[in-house]
């Protein structure tokens, strides 16, 4: 299948410890994005019901907007941790962008599916309601989130996966995912209060031989 073909082409760049670290990071971000998706949908529902508008917001509407932007700020930071942009970042998280790309291929770009869906809904809400309904600090949170999503897309383009990622997410709109086959559910950690859950310690990777690694 398409996954096997792409993963085969990545094999020479992958370290098992790096792949395991990337899987743990992928699970953390997916959980964060699922929480954000729920809060974005809640805001959209209140907009559709007229409880959030450019002119006024109900108490419930204001609370939903605050919950959404608070989670958006947390997810934005999680996306930043997810993507190693420099060699120092790779050392810190314990994987490189190719090992991350392999993990994302394996799970069918599930994280990007949430990123894209939330971004599209937020953009629509911002154009029609939120640009006038939100105070400046909440607008800034949305702007930072949008920039982080774009940075994520840039990294995927850098390793040649952006077009594939877009195509696969579109495919899953037509052919729904089989949840019983999602690989990341096998490594989900027990639910822990988000504020007290530190990032998992990366598995130590052996030093890469610069003569055998990928030239930047």
């Amino acid at each position: 299948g398409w996954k096997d073909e792409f993963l085969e082409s990545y094999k020479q760049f992958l370290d098992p410890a790096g792949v395991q670290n990337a899987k743990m990071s992928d699970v953390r971000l997916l959980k964060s994005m699922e929480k954000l998706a729920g809060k974005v949908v809640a805001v959209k529902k209140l907009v559709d019901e007229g409880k959030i508008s450019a002119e006024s917001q109900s108490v419930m509407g204001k609370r939903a907007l605050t919950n959404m932007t608070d989670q958006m700020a947390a997810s934005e930071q999680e996306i930043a941790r997810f993507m190693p942009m420099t060699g120092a970042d790779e050392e810190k998280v314990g994987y490189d962008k190719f090992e991350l790309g392999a993990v994302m291929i394996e799970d069918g770009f599930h994280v990007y599916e949430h990123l894209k869906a939330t971004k599209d809904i937020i953009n629509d809400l911002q154009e029609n309601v939120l640009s006038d309904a939100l105070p400046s600090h909440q607008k800034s949170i949305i702007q930072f989130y949008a920039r982080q999503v774009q940075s994520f897309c840039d990294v995927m383009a850098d390793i040649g996966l952006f077009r594939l990622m877009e195509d696969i997410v579109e495919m899953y709109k037509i052919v729904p995912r089989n949840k019983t086959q999602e690989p990341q559910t096998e490594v989900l950690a027990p639910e822990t209060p988000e504020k007290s859950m530190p990032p998992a310690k990366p598995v130590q990777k052996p030093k890469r031989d610069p003569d055998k690694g990928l030239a930047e």
Side-chain angles (χ1 to χ4, degrees):
W2 65 268
K3 291 184 183 180
D4 293 332
E5 291 179 17
F6 274 83
L7 289 172
E8 183 65 30
S9 68
Y10 271 65
K11 274 187 178 179
Q12 61 180 310
F13 307 127
L14 305 183
D15 176 81
V19 171
Q20 182 59 35
N21 289 332
K23 283 183 178 180
M24 291 189 292
S25 187
D26 186 63
V27 169
R28 285 196 302 272
L29 180 55
L30 181 58
K31 290 175 71 175
S32 180
M33 292 307 305
E34 286 173 342
K35 289 179 182 179
L36 177 58
K39 298 189 187 305
V40 169
V41 169
V43 167
K44 185 178 186 305
K45 183 173 183 290
L46 292 175
V47 169
D48 293 341
E49 293 172 353
K51 294 177 181 176
I52 298 176
S53 69
E55 293 75 30
S56 64
Q57 301 90 44
S58 66
V59 173
M60 184 184 297
K62 289 180 180 179
R63 185 182 303 118
L65 287 169
T66 297
N67 289 341
M68 181 188 75
T69 53
D70 284 352
Q71 182 59 45
M72 192 176 294
S75 295
E76 183 261 330
Q77 293 178 12
E78 197 66 58
I79 297 167
R81 285 192 289 267
F82 181 66
M83 298 182 302
M85 305 292 286
T86 66
D89 291 340
E90 292 176 2
E91 288 292 325
K92 185 175 181 180
V93 298
Y95 58 86
D96 62 28
K97 57 190 176 183
F98 295 97
E99 289 151 355
L100 179 60
V103 168
M104 295 188 69
I105 291 170
E106 186 179 19
D107 82 354
F109 301 103
H110 206 169
V111 160
Y112 182 64
E113 188 173 19
H114 284 289
L115 283 171
K116 184 176 175 63
T118 54
K119 179 177 71 76
D120 291 346
I121 294 173
I122 291 164
N123 285 346
D124 182 61
L125 291 174
Q126 195 168 23
E127 288 177 9
N128 295 292
V129 178
L130 299 186
S131 60
D132 295 319
L134 292 177
S136 58
H137 73 280
Q138 289 182 319
K139 291 180 184 177
S140 295
I141 289 172
I142 292 177
Q143 290 171 354
F144 284 129
Y145 176 77
R147 289 174 193 165
Q148 198 61 257
V149 172
Q150 186 57 53
S151 293
F152 172 87
C153 293
D154 290 345
V155 170
M156 292 299 103
D158 185 48
I159 59 176
L161 289 181
F162 181 74
R163 184 60 62 122
L164 174 67
M165 188 167 67
E166 286 273 285
D167 290 345
I168 296 305
V169 168
E170 288 301 311
M171 179 190 76
Y172 280 125
K173 289 181 180 178
I174 301 169
V175 182
R177 293 174 183 273
N178 183 346
K179 292 185 179 181
T180 63
Q181 296 178 357
E182 289 298 320
Q184 71 269 18
T185 59
E186 298 176 3
V187 291
L188 278 173
E191 187 65 32
T192 308
E194 187 170 285
K195 291 184 179 178
S196 63
M197 182 176 69
K201 186 176 180 180
V203 177
Q204 188 64 39
K205 290 176 60 178
K207 295 294 183 181
R208 190 189 301 274
D209 186 339
D211 295 328
K212 296 180 181 179
L214 180 72
E216 292 292 332

